[in-house]
C-alpha cells in the first residue's frame, strides 16, 4: 500500500469493554511499532515487532495490553477491560527494520473510553 | 531508563522571526531523529543525525547533534505559517526511540 493504515480511525467504548485496534504496515517493512499519544503529549513506546523475533513488550503499561503480529504483515493491539486513562491516540509505525531508520506513521486510532 | 527532554513546550513566533527548540538526553544516543506533527495529523519524519557534532540543513531548518551526542537542536529561520505544528525529537540507541514531549509552534501572521 501507499502508507501505513490503521482502523478504526475512531473508537468510543465503555469502561470495562475490550477493544482491538488494527495496523497495516507498509509492504516489505519488517519492523512495526505501537505508540500511545495522550492529548498534548509526546509519543509513548508500547511494543516493537521485528520480523520473526520475539517482540519487545517493555512499553506495555499493564497486562491488559497485548499485541500480535502475523509474520511481517498486519498487527493488532488489544486492550482488555478498558479504563478511562486508556483514552488516547494509538499510533502505529513501520520501518525497514534497520536500527535508526525512519519510521512511517499511520493516521492513528483515537480511542475514547467513557 | 533513557529520557529525552525537549524545551520549550510551546513556542509562539511572529512570522518572519527565527526560533530554536532543544532536545536533551540523560544518556548518550547513537542517533537522533526529528519529526513534525501538524495539528490533527500524525508524525512525519524530517531528518536523522548520527555523527557527533553533525549539522544538517533543510531549506530554513537547521538540525544539530551535540558533540557528546546527548543533545540536539532544531533552528528555524524566517518562520512561515506552514511551520505550524509540533516538532518532536526522538533519541535512539537501537530500534527503540524515546520521544521528547515536543515543541508546539504557533505563528502570528
Amino acid at each position: 500500500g501507499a502508507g501505513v493504515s490503521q482502523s478504526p480511525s475512531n473508537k468510543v467504548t465503555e469502561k470495562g469493554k475490550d477493544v482491538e485496534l488494527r495496523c497495516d504496515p507498509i509492504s516489505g517493512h519488517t519492523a512495526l511499532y505501537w505508540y500511545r499519544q495522550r492529548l498534548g503529549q509526546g509519543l509513548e513506546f508500547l511494543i516493537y515487532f521485528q520480523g520473526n523475533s520475539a517482540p519487545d513488550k517493555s512499553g506495555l503499561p499493564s497486562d491488559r495490553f497485548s499485541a500480535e503480529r502475523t509474520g511481517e504483515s498486519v498487527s493488532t493491539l488489544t486492550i482488555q477491560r478498558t479504563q478511562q486513562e486508556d483514552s488516547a491516540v494509538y499510533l502505529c509505525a513501520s520501518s525497514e527494520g534497520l536500527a535508526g531508520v525512519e519510521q512511517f506513521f499511520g493516521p492513528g486510532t483515537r480511542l475514547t473510553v467513557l | 531508563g533513557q529520557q529525552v527532554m525537549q524545551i520549550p513546550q510551546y513556542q509562539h513566533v511572529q512570522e518572519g522571526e527565527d526560533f530554536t527548540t532543544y532536545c536533551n538526553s540523560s544518556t548518550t544516543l547513537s542517533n537522533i531523529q526529528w519529526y513534525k506533527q501538524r495539528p490533527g495529523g500524525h508524525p512525519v519524519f524530517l531528518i536523522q543525525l548520527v555523527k557527533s557534532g553533525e549539522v544538517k540543513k533543510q531549506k530554513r531548518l537547521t538540525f544539530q547533534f551535540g558533540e557528546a551526542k546527548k543533545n540536539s537542536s532544531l533552528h528555524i529561520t524566517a518562520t512561515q505559517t506552514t511551520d505550524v505544528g509540533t516538532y518532536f525529537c526522538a533519541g535512539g540507541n537501537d530500534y527503540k526511540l524515546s520521544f521528547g514531549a515536543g515543541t508546539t509552534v504557533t505563528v502570528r501572521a
Side-chain angles (χ1 to χ4, degrees):
Chain A
V4 178
S5 61
Q6 291 185 244
S7 61
S9 56
N10 283 284
K11 177 70 177 178
V12 180
T13 190
E14 293 179 348
K15 178 182 174 181
K17 300 286 189 182
D18 298 352
V19 295
E20 192 173 275
L21 313 180
R22 177 188 170 106
C23 172
D24 284 85
I26 292 173
S27 178
H29 280 190
T30 59
L32 187 146
Y33 305 76
W34 283 98
Y35 294 91
R36 178 169 68 181
Q37 185 175 31
R38 291 199 166 104
L39 186 64
Q41 297 187 20
L43 281 68
E44 177 186 358
F45 168 82
L46 297 178
I47 190 168
Y48 163 77
F49 295 91
Q50 171 59 54
N52 294 317
S53 301
D56 178 351
K57 305 179 181 180
S58 61
L60 294 178
S62 77
D63 58 8
R64 296 187 296 105
F65 288 72
S66 63
E68 293 183 349
R69 186 181 187 193
T70 306
E72 294 183 354
S73 60
V74 172
S75 175
T76 55
L77 175 69
T78 301
I79 308 174
Q80 296 178 311
R81 306 181 302 283
T82 52
Q83 303 295 313
Q84 289 185 332
E85 62 263 28
D86 299 334
S87 296
V89 175
Y90 290 82
L91 290 160
C92 173
S94 71
S95 74
E96 293 179 349
L98 301 176
V101 172
E102 171 185 359
Q103 295 184 22
F104 294 81
F105 283 83
T109 293
R110 181 175 299 277
L111 175 66
T112 303
V113 182
L114 302 177
Chain B
Q2 179 177 290
Q3 285 190 328
V4 174
M5 307 299 292
Q6 199 171 347
I7 56 170
Q9 184 176 2
Y10 298 99
Q11 184 78 54
H12 307 291
V13 188
Q14 179 70 43
E15 190 174 16
E17 292 185 342
D18 304 349
F19 75 91
T20 303
T21 174
Y22 301 89
C23 184
N24 293 288
S25 170
S26 56
T27 60
T28 301
L29 302 168
S30 63
N31 70 83
I32 197 152
Q33 298 182 9
W34 286 87
Y35 290 78
K36 179 182 179 180
Q37 185 173 25
R38 293 184 184 275
H42 57 274
V44 175
F45 176 83
L46 294 177
I47 208 160
Q48 175 180 275
L49 304 171
V50 178
K51 299 177 182 177
S52 169
E54 187 171 14
V55 177
K56 288 188 177 181
K57 292 188 176 183
Q58 288 181 351
K59 297 183 181 178
R60 296 178 296 102
L61 277 61
T62 301
F63 303 84
Q64 186 167 5
F65 202 7
E67 294 290 340
K69 300 183 75 173
K70 296 178 72 173
N71 58 75
S72 180
S73 65
L74 161 58
H75 181 77
I76 300 182
T77 59
T79 303
Q80 299 178 359
T81 55
T82 53
D83 295 325
V84 164
T86 301
Y87 294 83
F88 293 99
C89 63
N93 281 310
D94 43 47
Y95 56 83
K96 187 187 295 185
L97 291 178
S98 294
F99 280 78
T103 294
T104 298
V105 176
T106 54
V107 179
R108 299 189 299 273

